[in-house]
Every structure is written in structure tokens, then in C-alpha cells.
Amino acid sequence: MIGTVTLNPCVDRTCQLKNLEIGGMNRIVSDRRDVSGKGINVSLALTQNDVAVRSCGFIYKGGKEFFLSELERFGICFEGIEVEGQLRENLKLWDCVSNVTTEVNQSGNPVGPDKWEDFKAFFGTFVEGLDMVVLAGSVPKGIDKSAYAQLLAIANEKGIPCILDAEGELLYRGLEQKPFLIKPNLYEFNITFGHEGSEIPSIVAKARQIISEGKCTYICITLGKDGALMVGQEGAWFSPSAKVDVKCTQGAGDSIVSGVCKAYFEGKGPDQMLRYGVAMAGGTLSLDGTLMCTKKEFDRVLVDSTVEKLDY
């Protein structure tokens, strides 16, 4: 079973527009609201692809009923620590002509140190018996940037491998506890590790350096429309983006993580973890709003997904 952690859950309101005009009048073509957050997105994709999941995080009192009932519709029971405040709402403006999404995200209500201590105690029980844990997304105000490092230390004590999908100091501090895999996009990779450029040989060389320093076992770097890379001690692989009719770009990165988890759960190696990830992302890209890849889309896209082992 895979566990996911979403410390700062949200509702994503996705508005589809045509030719977004900054400072002008824009009319909404379609509008939907979905419970979201990076770990929740991973849980949704895995559940819809027949992988057993446990999902946890903070549960805000404001919006609690909608939040939990929406997840229950998809067969997900969200556990965790209840906190004061309103569930945050993020606005996604998707220009379906240019295929570009503009995001306006709330930070969310703060969480105090007492609730963080409660969550860590809960997490120590939550991870027992899991095959893998995904730590993903931002953290609420009031939570220290070492949050994921603290949770990784708890999981490491119990021998549970973790995937860390975060950015900035959350990612950098998390590396102190040597996660199994990290999944930065190219921008996050360059900023976090002081790398410049987008040339694949240079990215692979930098990733190998990070792994050789013992900071993690695998690095999956997403390159947007150009595909994704998987780098480990035993090699490096590249997979081009799936050829699909893109309907929305939200959740593609979280889908990569879902595919990696599915492949790991099935005992696959790093090349297939990458292939599954890109196929899962392709399935999500072909769906509206923040809908996540289903088994039907995954099976369809996987057939044409390829992986190339790099010789540098």
C-alpha cells in the first residue's frame, strides 16, 4: 500500500477561457471545482489505477464536509489532524487556445506548533506497514521548512522508502534525510542545485553528482512538453512526452509520481518507473480540469510510451 501526505490541501477552481486578456474582459467557457493538493492528486490517480492508498494531512474545519465527502466519492478516506481555519481555494485560469494555465493560489490558514507535534505522532503510526510514502506539495504557514525532513526521519526509522515532491527549502532540507526519489521539474532542479541550462547531458551529470553525494537514490526530472528523465546509480533514462490531445496541464507532475509509485508497487525497475510516470501524466493531460488519470487512459497511453537508456 502507498501512503500520501498532503499538509496543505485545497480546492482547485479551474476556469476555461479563450485567449486570456490581462486587464481586459474574459468570459468563462467552463468552470469546475475539485478537491486537490499534490498528495491528494497522487492518491486519486493511484486509486483509479487499482493501487491501494492511504491518504493523510491536515483537515481544516472550514470546508471539512465538502473536502471529505468529495474524496469519499473517489474511494479515498483522508486521515489526519483537524485544525482551525478555512480550506484554501486556488484559481486556475486555463487558456484553451494557447494551452497555458495561469495559477492564483492561496497560502492557506496557519497551523500552530502543537498541531504539528500531533501530526508527527499520528504520522509515526500512519506509515507502519506501508510500501512507500509520498510527501508532496507546500506546507501551511506556521510549519517549519524542515517539515519534510522531520517526516522522512520518522519513515526512515521504520524502513519505509519515501518520494519527496517539493520545492525550495522544503526540498533542500528534505535531502538531509536521503529520500528514495525526488521529482523536481527543470526549474526547481536548476534553482535548488545551482544548475544552469536545459541540455540533457548536463542535467544527467548534475543529477549523478547529487546521487553520488548520497542525497537520494533516484531523481526524476520533468521537462514539460519535452518529456522526463530518470537518473540513478545504475543509469539514466529519457522518455518523451505522451502524444495526447492536451485538455489541461494541471496534475501532470503529480501523475508522474503516481506512475512511479505504481511501477515500484509492481516491482518494476527505474526505466519502467519513468515509463509508467510519463504514461500516467499523458492520461491526466487528456482529461478536463484537475481530473486525474484513470486506468482506461493509463492503459491506452502506456502502449505507445517509450524509454531510452542514455549512454552518457
Side-chain angles (χ1 to χ4, degrees), residues 255-311:
S255 299
I256 292 266
V257 174
S258 303
V260 168
C261 289
K262 179 175 171 63
Y264 179 86
F265 189 72
E266 293 179 2
K268 309 289 186 182
D271 59 331
Q272 293 305 302
M273 288 194 292
L274 177 62
R275 180 171 172 249
Y276 274 41
V278 170
M280 195 78 78
T284 292
L285 289 169
S286 67
L287 298 173
D288 291 326
T290 49
L291 293 174
M292 299 300 292
C293 182
T294 67
K295 189 174 187 302
K296 177 182 176 182
E297 277 82 32
F298 174 74
D299 290 342
R300 174 176 57 82
V301 178
L302 185 66
V303 172
D304 296 321
S305 296
T306 61
V307 175
E308 169 192 359
K309 186 166 186 180
L310 304 176
D311 57 4

Short mmCIF file of all heavy atoms in Angstrom, two decimals, residues 255-311:
data_model
loop_
_atom_site.label_atom_id
_atom_site.label_comp_id
_atom_site.label_asym_id
_atom_site.label_seq_id
_atom_site.Cartn_x
_atom_site.Cartn_y
_atom_site.Cartn_z
N SER A 255 0.97 13.20 -11.51
CA SER A 255 0.72 11.93 -12.20
C SER A 255 2.02 11.18 -12.45
O SER A 255 2.05 9.94 -12.41
CB SER A 255 0.00 12.18 -13.52
OG SER A 255 -1.25 12.79 -13.30
N ILE A 256 3.09 11.91 -12.73
CA ILE A 256 4.41 11.27 -12.86
C ILE A 256 4.72 10.49 -11.58
O ILE A 256 5.13 9.32 -11.61
CB ILE A 256 5.51 12.31 -13.12
CG1 ILE A 256 5.35 12.94 -14.50
CG2 ILE A 256 6.88 11.68 -12.94
CD1 ILE A 256 6.11 12.32 -15.61
N VAL A 257 4.52 11.14 -10.44
CA VAL A 257 4.77 10.48 -9.15
C VAL A 257 3.88 9.25 -8.99
O VAL A 257 4.33 8.19 -8.55
CB VAL A 257 4.54 11.46 -7.98
CG1 VAL A 257 4.65 10.75 -6.64
CG2 VAL A 257 5.54 12.60 -8.05
N SER A 258 2.61 9.37 -9.40
CA SER A 258 1.68 8.24 -9.30
C SER A 258 2.17 7.05 -10.12
O SER A 258 2.13 5.90 -9.67
CB SER A 258 0.29 8.66 -9.78
OG SER A 258 -0.19 9.76 -9.06
N GLY A 259 2.64 7.34 -11.35
CA GLY A 259 3.14 6.27 -12.20
C GLY A 259 4.38 5.61 -11.63
O GLY A 259 4.54 4.38 -11.69
N VAL A 260 5.27 6.42 -11.06
CA VAL A 260 6.47 5.87 -10.41
C VAL A 260 6.06 4.93 -9.27
O VAL A 260 6.60 3.83 -9.13
CB VAL A 260 7.36 7.01 -9.88
CG1 VAL A 260 8.45 6.47 -8.95
CG2 VAL A 260 7.99 7.78 -11.04
N CYS A 261 5.09 5.37 -8.45
CA CYS A 261 4.61 4.54 -7.34
C CYS A 261 4.00 3.23 -7.84
O CYS A 261 4.26 2.16 -7.27
CB CYS A 261 3.57 5.30 -6.52
SG CYS A 261 4.22 6.65 -5.54
N LYS A 262 3.20 3.31 -8.87
CA LYS A 262 2.55 2.11 -9.42
C LYS A 262 3.59 1.11 -9.90
O LYS A 262 3.49 -0.09 -9.62
CB LYS A 262 1.60 2.49 -10.55
CG LYS A 262 0.89 1.30 -11.21
CD LYS A 262 -0.11 1.78 -12.25
CE LYS A 262 -0.68 0.61 -13.06
NZ LYS A 262 -1.44 -0.34 -12.24
N ALA A 263 4.59 1.60 -10.63
CA ALA A 263 5.64 0.71 -11.13
C ALA A 263 6.44 0.11 -9.97
O ALA A 263 6.75 -1.09 -9.97
CB ALA A 263 6.57 1.48 -12.07
N TYR A 264 6.77 0.92 -8.98
CA TYR A 264 7.51 0.43 -7.80
C TYR A 264 6.69 -0.63 -7.08
O TYR A 264 7.21 -1.68 -6.69
CB TYR A 264 7.82 1.59 -6.86
CG TYR A 264 8.54 1.17 -5.60
CD1 TYR A 264 9.93 1.08 -5.60
CD2 TYR A 264 7.85 0.87 -4.43
CE1 TYR A 264 10.60 0.69 -4.44
CE2 TYR A 264 8.50 0.49 -3.28
CZ TYR A 264 9.89 0.39 -3.29
OH TYR A 264 10.54 0.00 -2.15
N PHE A 265 5.40 -0.37 -6.91
CA PHE A 265 4.50 -1.30 -6.24
C PHE A 265 4.43 -2.64 -6.98
O PHE A 265 4.28 -3.69 -6.37
CB PHE A 265 3.10 -0.68 -6.15
CG PHE A 265 2.14 -1.44 -5.30
CD1 PHE A 265 2.26 -1.46 -3.91
CD2 PHE A 265 1.08 -2.13 -5.87
CE1 PHE A 265 1.37 -2.16 -3.12
CE2 PHE A 265 0.19 -2.84 -5.08
CZ PHE A 265 0.33 -2.85 -3.70
N GLU A 266 4.59 -2.60 -8.32
CA GLU A 266 4.56 -3.81 -9.14
C GLU A 266 5.95 -4.44 -9.29
O GLU A 266 6.11 -5.41 -10.02
CB GLU A 266 3.99 -3.48 -10.51
CG GLU A 266 2.52 -3.09 -10.48
CD GLU A 266 1.96 -2.75 -11.86
OE1 GLU A 266 2.72 -2.86 -12.86
OE2 GLU A 266 0.78 -2.39 -11.94
N GLY A 267 6.95 -3.89 -8.61
CA GLY A 267 8.29 -4.47 -8.65
C GLY A 267 9.10 -4.11 -9.87
O GLY A 267 10.08 -4.79 -10.19
N LYS A 268 8.75 -3.03 -10.56
CA LYS A 268 9.46 -2.62 -11.77
C LYS A 268 10.73 -1.85 -11.42
O LYS A 268 10.87 -1.27 -10.34
CB LYS A 268 8.57 -1.74 -12.64
CG LYS A 268 7.19 -2.32 -12.95
CD LYS A 268 7.26 -3.49 -13.90
CE LYS A 268 5.86 -3.94 -14.30
NZ LYS A 268 5.86 -5.12 -15.19
N GLY A 269 11.66 -1.78 -12.39
CA GLY A 269 12.90 -1.04 -12.23
C GLY A 269 12.74 0.42 -12.60
O GLY A 269 11.66 0.87 -13.00
N PRO A 270 13.81 1.20 -12.51
CA PRO A 270 13.74 2.65 -12.75
C PRO A 270 13.30 3.04 -14.15
O PRO A 270 12.64 4.06 -14.33
CB PRO A 270 15.16 3.13 -12.45
CG PRO A 270 16.02 1.91 -12.54
CD PRO A 270 15.17 0.79 -12.10
N ASP A 271 13.66 2.25 -15.17
CA ASP A 271 13.22 2.59 -16.53
C ASP A 271 11.70 2.51 -16.64
O ASP A 271 11.06 3.38 -17.26
CB ASP A 271 13.90 1.67 -17.55
CG ASP A 271 13.61 0.19 -17.31
OD1 ASP A 271 13.38 -0.21 -16.14
OD2 ASP A 271 13.63 -0.58 -18.30
N GLN A 272 11.11 1.49 -16.04
CA GLN A 272 9.66 1.36 -16.10
C GLN A 272 8.95 2.33 -15.14
O GLN A 272 7.82 2.74 -15.38
CB GLN A 272 9.24 -0.08 -15.80
CG GLN A 272 9.68 -1.07 -16.86
CD GLN A 272 9.19 -0.68 -18.25
OE1 GLN A 272 8.00 -0.55 -18.49
NE2 GLN A 272 10.13 -0.50 -19.18
N MET A 273 9.62 2.71 -14.07
CA MET A 273 9.06 3.75 -13.21
C MET A 273 8.89 5.03 -14.02
O MET A 273 7.88 5.72 -13.90
CB MET A 273 9.96 3.99 -11.98
CG MET A 273 9.92 2.86 -10.96
SD MET A 273 10.63 3.29 -9.34
CE MET A 273 12.36 3.48 -9.74
N LEU A 274 9.88 5.34 -14.85
CA LEU A 274 9.79 6.52 -15.72
C LEU A 274 8.70 6.34 -16.77
O LEU A 274 7.89 7.25 -17.00
CB LEU A 274 11.13 6.77 -16.39
CG LEU A 274 11.18 7.94 -17.38
CD1 LEU A 274 10.87 9.26 -16.68
CD2 LEU A 274 12.54 8.01 -18.07
N ARG A 275 8.67 5.19 -17.41
CA ARG A 275 7.67 4.93 -18.46
C ARG A 275 6.25 5.02 -17.90
O ARG A 275 5.36 5.64 -18.50
CB ARG A 275 7.91 3.56 -19.07
CG ARG A 275 6.92 3.17 -20.17
CD ARG A 275 7.36 1.89 -20.87
NE ARG A 275 6.33 1.42 -21.79
CZ ARG A 275 5.60 0.32 -21.63
NH1 ARG A 275 5.81 -0.46 -20.57
NH2 ARG A 275 4.68 -0.02 -22.50
N TYR A 276 6.02 4.40 -16.75
CA TYR A 276 4.70 4.46 -16.12
C TYR A 276 4.36 5.91 -15.76
O TYR A 276 3.20 6.34 -15.91
CB TYR A 276 4.69 3.62 -14.84
CG TYR A 276 4.36 2.16 -15.02
CD1 TYR A 276 4.89 1.42 -16.08
CD2 TYR A 276 3.55 1.49 -14.12
CE1 TYR A 276 4.60 0.07 -16.23
CE2 TYR A 276 3.25 0.15 -14.25
CZ TYR A 276 3.79 -0.56 -15.31
OH TYR A 276 3.49 -1.90 -15.46
N GLY A 277 5.34 6.65 -15.26
CA GLY A 277 5.09 8.03 -14.87
C GLY A 277 4.67 8.89 -16.04
O GLY A 277 3.70 9.66 -15.95
N VAL A 278 5.38 8.79 -17.15
CA VAL A 278 5.05 9.59 -18.34
C VAL A 278 3.69 9.17 -18.90
O VAL A 278 2.89 10.02 -19.33
CB VAL A 278 6.16 9.45 -19.39
CG1 VAL A 278 5.73 10.08 -20.72
CG2 VAL A 278 7.44 10.13 -18.89
N ALA A 279 3.38 7.87 -18.88
CA ALA A 279 2.07 7.40 -19.35
C ALA A 279 0.95 7.92 -18.46
O ALA A 279 -0.10 8.35 -18.95
CB ALA A 279 2.05 5.88 -19.40
N MET A 280 1.16 7.92 -17.15
CA MET A 280 0.15 8.42 -16.23
C MET A 280 -0.07 9.92 -16.45
O MET A 280 -1.21 10.40 -16.44
CB MET A 280 0.57 8.16 -14.79
CG MET A 280 -0.53 8.30 -13.77
SD MET A 280 -1.67 6.89 -13.70
CE MET A 280 -0.70 5.71 -12.75
N ALA A 281 1.02 10.65 -16.67
CA ALA A 281 0.90 12.08 -16.95
C ALA A 281 0.14 12.33 -18.24
O ALA A 281 -0.71 13.22 -18.33
CB ALA A 281 2.28 12.72 -17.02
N GLY A 282 0.42 11.53 -19.26
CA GLY A 282 -0.29 11.66 -20.53
C GLY A 282 -1.78 11.44 -20.37
O GLY A 282 -2.60 12.15 -20.96
N GLY A 283 -2.14 10.46 -19.56
CA GLY A 283 -3.55 10.20 -19.30
C GLY A 283 -4.23 11.37 -18.63
O GLY A 283 -5.36 11.73 -18.97
N THR A 284 -3.55 11.99 -17.67
CA THR A 284 -4.11 13.15 -16.98
C THR A 284 -4.24 14.35 -17.90
O THR A 284 -5.24 15.08 -17.87
CB THR A 284 -3.24 13.51 -15.76
OG1 THR A 284 -3.35 12.47 -14.78
CG2 THR A 284 -3.66 14.82 -15.12
N LEU A 285 -3.25 14.57 -18.75
CA LEU A 285 -3.28 15.70 -19.67
C LEU A 285 -4.46 15.64 -20.63
O LEU A 285 -4.93 16.67 -21.13
CB LEU A 285 -1.98 15.76 -20.48
CG LEU A 285 -0.72 16.18 -19.72
CD1 LEU A 285 0.52 15.92 -20.55
CD2 LEU A 285 -0.80 17.65 -19.32
N SER A 286 -4.97 14.44 -20.88
CA SER A 286 -6.06 14.28 -21.83
C SER A 286 -7.43 14.48 -21.19
O SER A 286 -8.46 14.35 -21.87
CB SER A 286 -6.00 12.88 -22.47
OG SER A 286 -6.26 11.87 -21.51
N LEU A 287 -7.46 14.82 -19.88
CA LEU A 287 -8.72 14.99 -19.15
C LEU A 287 -8.95 16.46 -18.78
O LEU A 287 -8.00 17.24 -18.68
CB LEU A 287 -8.72 14.13 -17.89
CG LEU A 287 -8.61 12.62 -18.11
CD1 LEU A 287 -8.46 11.91 -16.78
CD2 LEU A 287 -9.83 12.09 -18.87
N ASP A 288 -10.21 16.82 -18.55
CA ASP A 288 -10.57 18.20 -18.22
C ASP A 288 -10.20 18.55 -16.78
O ASP A 288 -10.16 17.69 -15.90
CB ASP A 288 -12.08 18.41 -18.40
CG ASP A 288 -12.50 18.35 -19.86
OD1 ASP A 288 -11.71 18.78 -20.71
OD2 ASP A 288 -13.61 17.85 -20.14
N GLY A 289 -10.00 19.86 -16.55
CA GLY A 289 -9.81 20.38 -15.21
C GLY A 289 -8.68 19.72 -14.47
O GLY A 289 -7.61 19.49 -15.01
N THR A 290 -8.92 19.41 -13.20
CA THR A 290 -7.91 18.73 -12.39
C THR A 290 -8.25 17.26 -12.21
O THR A 290 -7.85 16.63 -11.23
CB THR A 290 -7.76 19.43 -11.02
OG1 THR A 290 -9.05 19.61 -10.45
CG2 THR A 290 -7.08 20.76 -11.15
N LEU A 291 -8.98 16.70 -13.17
CA LEU A 291 -9.24 15.26 -13.15
C LEU A 291 -7.93 14.50 -13.33
O LEU A 291 -7.05 14.93 -14.09
CB LEU A 291 -10.22 14.88 -14.26
CG LEU A 291 -11.66 15.41 -14.13
CD1 LEU A 291 -12.46 15.07 -15.37
CD2 LEU A 291 -12.32 14.83 -12.88
N MET A 292 -7.79 13.38 -12.64
CA MET A 292 -6.57 12.60 -12.69
C MET A 292 -6.75 11.34 -13.53
O MET A 292 -7.86 10.83 -13.69
CB MET A 292 -6.12 12.24 -11.27
CG MET A 292 -5.82 13.44 -10.39
SD MET A 292 -4.50 14.50 -11.01
CE MET A 292 -3.09 13.41 -10.81
N CYS A 293 -5.65 10.83 -14.02
CA CYS A 293 -5.62 9.68 -14.94
C CYS A 293 -6.37 8.47 -14.38
O CYS A 293 -6.16 8.07 -13.24
CB CYS A 293 -4.17 9.31 -15.22
SG CYS A 293 -3.94 7.95 -16.38
N THR A 294 -7.21 7.87 -15.22
CA THR A 294 -7.88 6.63 -14.87
C THR A 294 -7.16 5.45 -15.51
O THR A 294 -6.26 5.65 -16.35
CB THR A 294 -9.35 6.63 -15.34
OG1 THR A 294 -9.36 6.63 -16.78
CG2 THR A 294 -10.09 7.85 -14.82
N LYS A 295 -7.55 4.25 -15.15
CA LYS A 295 -6.92 3.05 -15.72
C LYS A 295 -7.10 3.00 -17.24
O LYS A 295 -6.20 2.57 -17.96
CB LYS A 295 -7.48 1.80 -15.07
CG LYS A 295 -6.73 0.51 -15.44
CD LYS A 295 -7.26 -0.67 -14.65
CE LYS A 295 -6.38 -1.90 -14.89
NZ LYS A 295 -6.30 -2.27 -16.31
N LYS A 296 -8.25 3.44 -17.71
CA LYS A 296 -8.51 3.43 -19.15
C LYS A 296 -7.49 4.29 -19.89
O LYS A 296 -6.89 3.86 -20.89
CB LYS A 296 -9.92 3.95 -19.42
CG LYS A 296 -10.27 4.04 -20.90
CD LYS A 296 -11.68 4.61 -21.08
CE LYS A 296 -12.00 4.80 -22.57
NZ LYS A 296 -13.36 5.39 -22.75
N GLU A 297 -7.27 5.52 -19.40
CA GLU A 297 -6.31 6.40 -20.07
C GLU A 297 -4.88 5.87 -19.91
O GLU A 297 -4.08 5.91 -20.84
CB GLU A 297 -6.39 7.82 -19.49
CG GLU A 297 -7.47 8.68 -20.07
CD GLU A 297 -8.81 8.40 -19.42
OE1 GLU A 297 -8.83 8.06 -18.21
OE2 GLU A 297 -9.83 8.53 -20.12
N PHE A 298 -4.56 5.38 -18.71
CA PHE A 298 -3.21 4.87 -18.48
C PHE A 298 -2.88 3.71 -19.42
O PHE A 298 -1.83 3.71 -20.07
CB PHE A 298 -3.05 4.41 -17.03
CG PHE A 298 -1.73 3.75 -16.74
CD1 PHE A 298 -0.57 4.50 -16.65
CD2 PHE A 298 -1.64 2.37 -16.58
CE1 PHE A 298 0.66 3.90 -16.40
CE2 PHE A 298 -0.42 1.76 -16.32
CZ PHE A 298 0.73 2.53 -16.23
N ASP A 299 -3.77 2.74 -19.51
CA ASP A 299 -3.52 1.60 -20.39
C ASP A 299 -3.40 2.03 -21.84
O ASP A 299 -2.57 1.49 -22.59
CB ASP A 299 -4.66 0.58 -20.25
CG ASP A 299 -4.66 -0.13 -18.90
OD1 ASP A 299 -3.61 -0.10 -18.22
OD2 ASP A 299 -5.70 -0.71 -18.53
N ARG A 300 -4.20 3.00 -22.24
CA ARG A 300 -4.16 3.47 -23.63
C ARG A 300 -2.84 4.16 -23.94
O ARG A 300 -2.23 3.90 -24.99
CB ARG A 300 -5.33 4.43 -23.88
CG ARG A 300 -5.32 5.11 -25.24
CD ARG A 300 -6.56 5.96 -25.43
NE ARG A 300 -6.71 6.97 -24.41
CZ ARG A 300 -6.09 8.15 -24.41
NH1 ARG A 300 -5.25 8.45 -25.38
NH2 ARG A 300 -6.31 9.01 -23.44
N VAL A 301 -2.39 5.02 -23.06
CA VAL A 301 -1.17 5.80 -23.31
C VAL A 301 0.08 4.94 -23.14
O VAL A 301 1.07 5.11 -23.86
CB VAL A 301 -1.11 7.03 -22.39
CG1 VAL A 301 0.18 7.81 -22.61
CG2 VAL A 301 -2.32 7.94 -22.63
N LEU A 302 0.05 3.99 -22.19
CA LEU A 302 1.22 3.17 -21.90
C LEU A 302 1.69 2.39 -23.13
O LEU A 302 2.90 2.19 -23.32
CB LEU A 302 0.93 2.21 -20.75
CG LEU A 302 2.11 1.35 -20.26
CD1 LEU A 302 3.18 2.23 -19.63
CD2 LEU A 302 1.63 0.30 -19.27
N VAL A 303 0.76 1.96 -23.95
CA VAL A 303 1.10 1.16 -25.13
C VAL A 303 2.13 1.86 -26.01
O VAL A 303 3.05 1.23 -26.55
CB VAL A 303 -0.18 0.85 -25.95
CG1 VAL A 303 0.18 0.19 -27.28
CG2 VAL A 303 -1.11 -0.05 -25.16
N ASP A 304 2.00 3.17 -26.16
CA ASP A 304 2.89 3.93 -27.05
C ASP A 304 4.02 4.63 -26.31
O ASP A 304 4.80 5.36 -26.93
CB ASP A 304 2.08 4.96 -27.83
CG ASP A 304 1.05 4.31 -28.75
OD1 ASP A 304 1.38 3.27 -29.35
OD2 ASP A 304 -0.07 4.83 -28.86
N SER A 305 4.12 4.45 -24.99
CA SER A 305 5.17 5.12 -24.21
C SER A 305 6.49 4.37 -24.35
O SER A 305 6.53 3.13 -24.28
CB SER A 305 4.77 5.19 -22.74
OG SER A 305 3.62 5.98 -22.58
N THR A 306 7.55 5.10 -24.55
CA THR A 306 8.87 4.50 -24.74
C THR A 306 9.89 5.09 -23.77
O THR A 306 9.73 6.22 -23.29
CB THR A 306 9.37 4.73 -26.17
OG1 THR A 306 9.47 6.14 -26.43
CG2 THR A 306 8.42 4.09 -27.19
N VAL A 307 10.94 4.32 -23.52
CA VAL A 307 12.04 4.76 -22.67
C VAL A 307 13.36 4.43 -23.35
O VAL A 307 13.53 3.33 -23.88
CB VAL A 307 12.00 4.07 -21.29
CG1 VAL A 307 13.22 4.46 -20.45
CG2 VAL A 307 10.73 4.44 -20.53
N GLU A 308 14.26 5.41 -23.34
CA GLU A 308 15.58 5.21 -23.96
C GLU A 308 16.66 5.32 -22.88
O GLU A 308 16.69 6.29 -22.12
CB GLU A 308 15.81 6.29 -25.02
CG GLU A 308 17.22 6.35 -25.56
CD GLU A 308 17.52 7.59 -26.37
OE1 GLU A 308 16.59 8.42 -26.54
OE2 GLU A 308 18.66 7.75 -26.81
N LYS A 309 17.53 4.30 -22.80
CA LYS A 309 18.65 4.40 -21.87
C LYS A 309 19.73 5.26 -22.49
O LYS A 309 20.12 5.06 -23.65
CB LYS A 309 19.21 3.02 -21.52
CG LYS A 309 20.28 3.09 -20.42
CD LYS A 309 20.60 1.75 -19.82
CE LYS A 309 21.56 1.94 -18.64
NZ LYS A 309 21.93 0.65 -17.99
N LEU A 310 20.20 6.22 -21.73
CA LEU A 310 21.20 7.17 -22.23
C LEU A 310 22.60 6.63 -22.02
O LEU A 310 22.89 5.99 -21.00
CB LEU A 310 21.04 8.51 -21.52
CG LEU A 310 19.63 9.14 -21.62
CD1 LEU A 310 19.55 10.41 -20.79
CD2 LEU A 310 19.26 9.42 -23.07
N ASP A 311 23.48 6.90 -22.95
CA ASP A 311 24.85 6.36 -22.87
C ASP A 311 25.85 7.41 -22.41
O ASP A 311 27.04 7.33 -22.72
CB ASP A 311 25.27 5.76 -24.22
CG ASP A 311 25.19 6.76 -25.36
OD1 ASP A 311 24.88 7.94 -25.09
OD2 ASP A 311 25.41 6.36 -26.52
#
